[in-house]
Amino acid sequence: MRRALELAATPGVPLGPNPRVGCVLLARDGRVVAEGYHRGAGTPHAEVEALAAAGSAARGTTALVTLEPCNHTGRTGPCAEALIEAGVARVVFAQSDPNPTAQGGAARLRAAGLTVESGLLAEESRVLNRIWSRAMELGRPFVTWKFAATLDGRSAAGDGTSRWISSPEARRDTHRLRADADAILVGTGTVIDDDPALTVRDAQDRPLPRQLLRVVMGERDIPAGRRVLDDSAETLHLRTHDPREVLAALWARDARHLFLEGGPTVAAAFLRAGLVDEVVCYLAPMLLGSGRAAVADLGIDTIADARHLEVTDISILEAPDSAPNIRLTLSPEPPATKEQ
């Protein structure tokens, strides 16, 4: 199963609507017959890839899979049926499938007479698919809000300037985090004032082959010539101020992870709606004393009503030519509940 998890974590696999899954087929004597992993939407699932590699040798094997075999027909057929037809004798999977559309694989396998066991390294499998699993439970994209701020909580000076509050190392780290998402969102105000490219770039500032869906939220028109209108990546303009409408539109486009980089107004809208699942803050060792706050009014008048966050990680980002930044990763408390 650990080998299946290694396969599932193969670098370069695009995310989106599908989880990372690995599969290993074992003969009765413990010999590895074949391996496979899912390579992205529209490609064979891990089980099907391993079965294809094994051919007739799959009969009588044990399949170890990091996620419960699916039981539905989408772009590909149900893996449960593929395992049954190949003559696999036993299936051991780590994590139960949280996707209501695909659930039921274990029951289908048992009904066909296969021995089925579950829960082996389940937590490791869930960690691997942490964001996808949570999105499936919520029924909407997982939202990561990222921002950079000074020690006194300012994201821009009084004259509107904000480059560069974050250090070069923090900006490189941001692009690493962006690359794991499906869509990136800002408001129309950020597009008009800052003209961001909203692309994903490597350490040498070169665009990566896979780019996120760029999402602009707001009713104002996007002025001609803004960089989000170029051909570097697809851009979706959603003329709404309602975060729920935004997430529903992105869910329908198979986006499972939204990277929120909008200004304080957009951030406040998502926070007030309880639609932020993770916060990543880059804290710079500087003070402004005035200027734009990192988040707009949340309707909080007393300290007793403060929004509390649980710190899940603290990292110091250092580089020889710049002051270090502190990256805080936080989880809102209590966690957001599933949208109805």
Side-chain angles (χ1 to χ4, degrees), residues 5 52 141 200 333:
L5 285 165
V200 185
E333 295 183 320

Side-chain angles (χ1 to χ4, degrees), residues 34-308:
E35 300 178 337
Y37 65 93
H38 186 47
R39 301 170 187 266
T43 65
H45 287 190
E47 300 95 314
V48 174
E49 186 173 83
L51 292 172
S56 61
R59 184 165 297 279
T61 59
T62 292
L64 291 103
V65 195
T66 57
L67 185 69
E68 178 183 1
C70 66
N71 192 43
H72 82 298
T73 300
R75 298 182 189 179
T76 59
C79 293
E81 290 297 332
L83 291 164
I84 294 166
E85 292 174 4
V88 170
R90 177 171 170 247
V91 175
V92 181
F93 65 86
Q95 181 188 359
S96 296
D97 197 333
N99 183 354
T101 304
Q103 288 173 349
R108 177 69 189 94
L109 292 166
R110 289 190 179 101
L114 279 72
T115 300
V116 180
E117 300 171 37
S118 63
L120 180 61
L121 301 184
E123 184 57 31
E124 288 86 341
S125 179
R126 183 176 172 84
V127 168
L128 180 65
N129 287 305
R130 174 181 67 94
I131 289 174
W132 176 85
S133 295
R134 187 63 179 141
M136 288 296 111
E137 293 165 354
L138 293 168
R140 61 163 173 81
F142 183 99
V143 178
T144 296
W145 171 41
K146 168 265 169 183
F147 69 97
T150 60
L151 287 175
D152 52 350
R154 305 294 174 175
S155 63
D159 63 357
T161 56
S162 60
R163 297 185 179 181
W164 291 103
I165 287 177
S166 58
S167 68
E169 188 60 30
R171 295 194 293 276
R172 284 190 287 269
D173 192 64
T174 294
H175 282 280
R176 179 185 63 81
L177 296 179
R178 280 184 183 181
D180 284 337
D182 303 312
I184 182 170
L185 183 144
V186 297
T188 50
T190 295
V191 170
I192 292 169
D193 296 340
D194 298 341
D195 191 23
L198 299 183
T199 53
V200 185
R201 300 181 292 278
D202 65 15
Q204 286 72 46
D205 207 35
R206 297 171 301 200
L208 296 182
R210 175 187 175 267
Q211 292 294 325
L212 309 185
L213 172 67
R214 300 181 292 193
V215 184
V216 181
M217 172 184 173
E219 296 177 351
R220 286 184 286 177
D221 291 337
I222 300 174
R226 288 298 188 269
R227 290 195 288 176
V228 294
L229 298 178
D230 64 22
D231 59 359
S232 299
E234 182 183 0
T235 296
L236 175 66
H237 185 191
L238 296 173
R239 294 180 182 270
T240 180
H241 292 144
D242 187 346
R244 290 181 177 83
E245 290 184 16
V246 170
L247 295 182
L250 295 178
W251 185 261
R253 294 174 67 104
D254 286 339
R256 301 296 181 253
H257 186 192
L258 174 63
F259 204 68
L260 181 65
E261 285 205 31
T265 302
V266 168
F270 275 82
L271 285 165
R272 285 196 304 267
L275 296 173
V276 172
D277 305 298
E278 180 178 64
V279 179
V280 176
C281 169
Y282 295 95
L283 201 57
M286 63 175 71
L287 298 169
L288 285 173
S290 65
R292 187 173 66 193
V295 64
D297 183 16
L298 294 175
I300 297 172
D301 297 319
T302 176
I303 194 69
D305 296 333
R307 298 288 183 93
H308 291 272

